[in-house]
Every structure is written in C-alpha cells, then in structure tokens.
Amino acid sequence: MEGFRFLRAIGLHCLFAFAGLAIVGCGQRPAAQAPPPLTVMVAKPIKKEIVEWQYFTAQTQAVDTVGIIPRVTGCIDNILFKEGDVVNFGDLLYLIDPRPYQAALDQAKGQLEQAIAQQKLDNANLERAKDLLAKKVIAQQDFDTTASQKYVADAQVVASQAAVESAQLNLDFTRIHAPLHGRIGAQLVNRGNLVQANATQLTTVVSIDPIYANFYVDQASFMRYQEAVKAGQAPRTIVGSLPVWLRLETEQGYPHQGVIDFVNNAFDPSTSTLQVRGRFPNPDGFLLPNAFGTVRVAGSPKYEGILVADQAINFDQDQKYVVIVQPDGLTRYQRVETGPIVDGLRVIRSGLQGDETVIVEGAAKVRPNSKVSAEPVDMNKYATGQLAMETHIGPLASKDNASVSKPGRQEDRAPAMQAKQMTTPHPEH
C-alpha cells in the first residue's frame, strides 16, 4: 500500500512537470536569426599616369568659300564642270555668250583708231602752227587754239584706250574660271538662262585642305587657363602651339590632329563664350565643311590619377560620394570630387587615396556601418566603352555626361559642364 502511494506521488509529480514545460514552451518562441550580409561587388581604384581631356562640340568650316557670281550680264552658253568635282585654280567653269561683248570691244577699238588718227593730225597742225607763229604769220590766239585741239586729241586717245580695256575685261568676264582649288557645289543656274552681273549666284567653291573646326569656351574655363599660364603650367601662346584632335560622328577615336590657330578677341555677350578655332590637314578631302563633331584638347599635365567606374559614384543632392567597404566588412560613405572621364573611368580629384575598396555594384542597397559580403572584381571591367560592349545596351549616359558614349568609344563620356571648357594642355600631347 505504501509502495503504491509512493509511485502515485511520483507519477503526479512527473505529470505536473511535463505540464509546466508545455506551458513554458507554448509561451516562448525561438530567437530570430539575423539575415545574411548583402553581397556587393567591390574593386580597387585604378592608379596610373593620365592626361585629362576636355571635350567640345565643334563644327567644321572651309578655309575659303567663294560664291561664283558673274561680272557681266548675258545668257549661259556652256557649263564646263560636273557638280561635286574637285576643280583646280583657273579651270573654266562657265561660258557666257561673248558676242555682245566682242562687238563692244571691236567698236571700242575702232574709236581708238579714230582717236589716234585725229591725234596725229592735231600733232602735225601744232608743228605747223609753231613755225607760223615764229614767222609772225598767225596770231597767238590761233596758235593756242591749235595747241588745245592737240591736247584734246591726246585725251581722247587715253579715253579710247580705257574703253578698249574695259570692253576687253567684259569679254574676258564671259569666261568664268575657278578662283581656287577646291570642291565645287551644285549648279544653281542651268545653261541658256539669263544671268545678271554681280547678282546671280551660279555655284560655290570651297577649299579642301586644310579645314577649320570652330568651338566655344566658356569664360570661367578660359580664365582658369589664364591662371595656369601665370603659374607656368601652360604655354603663353595658344595659337599655333596647342594641339587639338577632331573626330566626326561615326569615327572611332580622334583620328584628325591639328593645332589651334585662332582665338577670338572678345567674349560673345549673349553666351559668355569665346570662339576658338582649330586648323586640320585634310589632303584627301574627307572632312567637309559644316559637319558637326567633337574636339578634344589636353586639360592637364600628365600626372598620376585615381580612377573609378562612373557607376560607383553616388549622389546626395549636390554632393558626390562612393561607398567604401572597410577591413572589418562595415561600409562607410566617402565624399569625392570628380573630374572628367579618362580611358572610360572617372577621375577622382579628391577624397580617395587609391587603396580603398569601393563598391561598384549594390551600393544603393547598403547603408553606412552595415555589414556586407564583398566579392572583388576588376575596376577596368566597368570602363565606359567595355561595359557598353558587354551589356549591349548601346549609348550610356551619366549625370556628368555631356555627350553620348558608344561601344568602343571611351572618350565620349565628357562631363556636361566640360562641353565648353578648356584648361591647361600638356605639351607632350
């Protein structure tokens, strides 16, 4: 009996113990596990010697442009060129009906012969009058009249000679020659039409080699260049010594090299920009006038720069920053000052030393002092031109971009404010 009570007491105690554990278990939940760190792509900045290029929108211009306008009135008898051809200086282009001018020349020559004959007669009369006056046969008044007639005859000969020369010029003007070596345009008047002297434009001729490219520099950029000149970092003479490169819309790289040959003497008051002009060799005539393109000039001496991918740069209103992964795996924001694009990467003027670990993918999802899982990649992979070719998305643009970047063109990523800037060039380039 006592044994039974002892077992019953033990059973009740175990039952209450299990019930208590059940109550405690129902009222508590297991602790929540922390999410895994966010995975981001990181890369080290690129450190290498660079030259900062400044980019400008430019338009080509012929060195010489001549509108072909007749100097005499008449009907066009013949057109002796093919539109778009390259013509040489002196080539015959148009022939205006010469018959009226040939007749006018013949008439002028006849009047000259009459004037010469009258001059001879008046010279003989004057010689006889001299003898008669010496012998007191004629009065002084008669001698003076004879001498005056001789002088009038001399003047008439001069006038007739001028008339012949004028008629000869008009006859010559019926043959219109090329005023320079260049490419001729479309004929604006067909054969058989009547053209007016000094009024009707027949066509145009533009020179081929060399060719100009005009671009415009804002006042602030030009003043920075002047400051660089004072500091000895730029040549004092721009004209003829500062190299410039040009490419057209569909060209790769900047295949045309020239020099700046003109800087205007005043800013445009409406735009506060200064006209600058480059002069480029064009022996094959590939560059045509009035074509738009891009020029670049060296914007700094050669120096060791720090470069990062454009997509690694983030914006906070007017501030720019990159997200750095510290050795302990925590992130922090670092403000930076950026420069232009060089070799497809953005120049960092200040804010980085070059040995940091910068997030290039996933920076928008992290916050300061957050733990991340960093996967290293090569920063060069994110160079503008290479990234464009890998992703096949065509032109890329950024907030600092002034021009469109196309596959294979790393120079296109020019800052917007630099589209009209010019700073210190490097003489080696």
Side-chain angles (χ1 to χ4, degrees):
M1 186 66 177
E2 290 295 333
F4 176 77
R5 290 178 180 177
F6 176 76
L7 292 175
R8 181 180 179 187
I10 292 176
L12 290 174
H13 179 74
C14 292
L15 179 62
F16 290 144
F18 283 121
L21 290 174
I23 293 172
V24 173
C26 292
Q28 293 183 353
R29 295 182 180 178
Q33 295 183 354
L38 181 67
T39 300
V40 295
M41 300 295 181
V42 298
K44 296 287 187 181
I46 303 297
K47 296 179 68 174
K48 64 178 180 179
E49 283 195 335
I50 62 170
V51 173
E52 294 184 10
W53 294 106
Q54 306 295 335
Y55 300 87
F56 311 89
T57 298
Q59 186 175 22
T60 57
Q61 173 193 351
V63 174
D64 297 307
T65 301
V66 179
I68 305 300
I69 299 175
R71 302 180 68 176
V72 293
T73 298
C75 291
I76 296 180
D77 266 1
N78 202 1
I79 299 175
L80 302 170
F81 68 89
K82 184 178 179 181
E83 296 171 305
D85 275 354
V86 174
V87 297
N88 296 313
F89 173 79
D91 286 353
L92 184 61
L93 304 179
Y94 289 92
L95 180 62
I96 295 176
D97 185 2
R99 292 174 298 175
Y101 299 98
Q102 182 64 57
L105 176 61
D106 294 341
Q107 182 180 11
K109 288 181 177 179
Q111 292 174 348
L112 175 60
E113 294 298 328
Q114 290 179 355
I116 292 174
Q118 185 63 44
Q119 182 188 44
K120 291 179 180 179
L121 175 61
D122 290 339
N123 285 338
N125 289 337
L126 181 60
E127 293 299 324
R128 286 190 293 268
K130 289 179 180 178
D131 292 339
L132 294 175
L133 180 63
K135 297 176 181 179
K136 306 291 186 180
V137 175
I138 60 174
Q140 182 66 42
Q141 181 178 1
D142 294 335
F143 176 79
D144 292 342
T145 300
T146 303
S148 176
Q149 290 174 348
K150 188 265 182 189
Y151 300 146
V152 170
D154 291 343
Q156 186 61 44
V157 169
V158 174
S160 297
Q161 287 176 339
V164 170
E165 292 175 0
S166 178
Q168 183 66 59
L169 279 176
N170 287 337
L171 180 61
D172 293 341
F173 290 155
T174 62
R175 299 173 64 86
I176 301 176
H177 299 269
L180 53 86
H181 173 79
R183 191 178 303 277
I184 198 164
Q187 59 184 40
L188 305 178
V189 180
N190 296 325
R191 179 179 177 180
N193 283 295
L194 179 68
V195 295
Q196 299 295 324
N198 304 318
T200 306
Q201 182 165 341
L202 304 178
T203 188
T204 57
V205 179
V206 296
S207 61
I208 297 175
D209 184 27
I211 196 167
Y212 291 144
N214 292 298
F215 55 98
Y216 295 85
V217 178
D218 64 279
Q219 182 177 347
S221 298
F222 187 77
M223 295 310 298
R224 284 195 292 270
Y225 180 83
Q226 297 290 69
E227 293 171 358
V229 170
K230 290 182 180 180
Q233 299 175 347
R236 292 186 175 276
T237 302
I238 301 177
V239 176
S241 63
L242 185 62
V244 60
W245 285 262
L246 168 70
R247 73 166 177 83
L248 300 183
E249 182 66 23
T250 58
E251 292 182 303
Q252 300 292 330
Y254 287 78
H256 312 285
Q257 180 178 353
V259 295
I260 291 177
D261 78 330
F262 170 74
V263 177
N264 212 339
N265 59 1
F267 287 95
D268 186 333
S270 61
T271 61
S272 189
T273 56
L274 186 67
Q275 180 189 4
V276 181
R277 187 179 69 197
R279 185 184 181 100
F280 297 87
N282 189 33
D284 57 357
F286 178 79
L287 299 174
L288 298 180
N290 301 324
F292 284 96
T294 303
V295 298
R296 72 174 186 180
V297 294
S300 73
K302 185 179 290 187
Y303 70 97
E304 187 177 52
I306 298 175
L307 308 174
V308 302
D310 226 7
Q311 70 181 68
I313 300 172
N314 304 278
F315 297 85
D316 181 10
Q317 296 181 357
D318 60 342
Q319 300 293 330
K320 300 177 183 178
Y321 67 93
V322 296
V323 182
I324 294 175
V325 179
Q326 303 175 101
D328 58 3
L330 297 178
T331 61
R332 68 178 176 89
Y333 290 180
Q334 176 63 49
R335 289 185 178 180
V336 293
E337 179 185 351
T338 61
I341 287 287
V342 173
D343 295 336
L345 298 173
R346 180 71 61 183
V347 174
I348 302 299
R349 298 192 188 278
S350 64
L352 294 180
Q353 299 299 320
D355 56 355
E356 297 88 348
T357 301
V358 179
I359 297 179
V360 290
E361 288 190 37
K365 300 178 181 180
V366 302
R367 296 292 180 266
N369 297 318
S370 60
K371 191 77 172 180
V372 295
S373 175
E375 292 188 8
V377 293
D378 184 5
M379 184 69 77
N380 284 313
K381 173 184 177 181
Y382 297 90
T384 301
Q386 183 176 350
L387 185 63
M389 289 187 290
E390 289 180 357
T391 55
H392 302 286
I393 61 175
L396 299 178
S398 71
K399 296 182 180 180
D400 289 333
N401 205 5
S403 60
V404 175
S405 174
K406 296 185 178 179
R409 296 187 193 166
Q410 299 178 354
E411 299 89 349
D412 287 355
R413 297 292 301 277
M417 294 304 295
Q418 293 168 355
K420 288 190 175 182
Q421 289 183 358
M422 179 181 66
T423 55
T424 309
H426 191 291
E428 296 179 6
H429 295 266

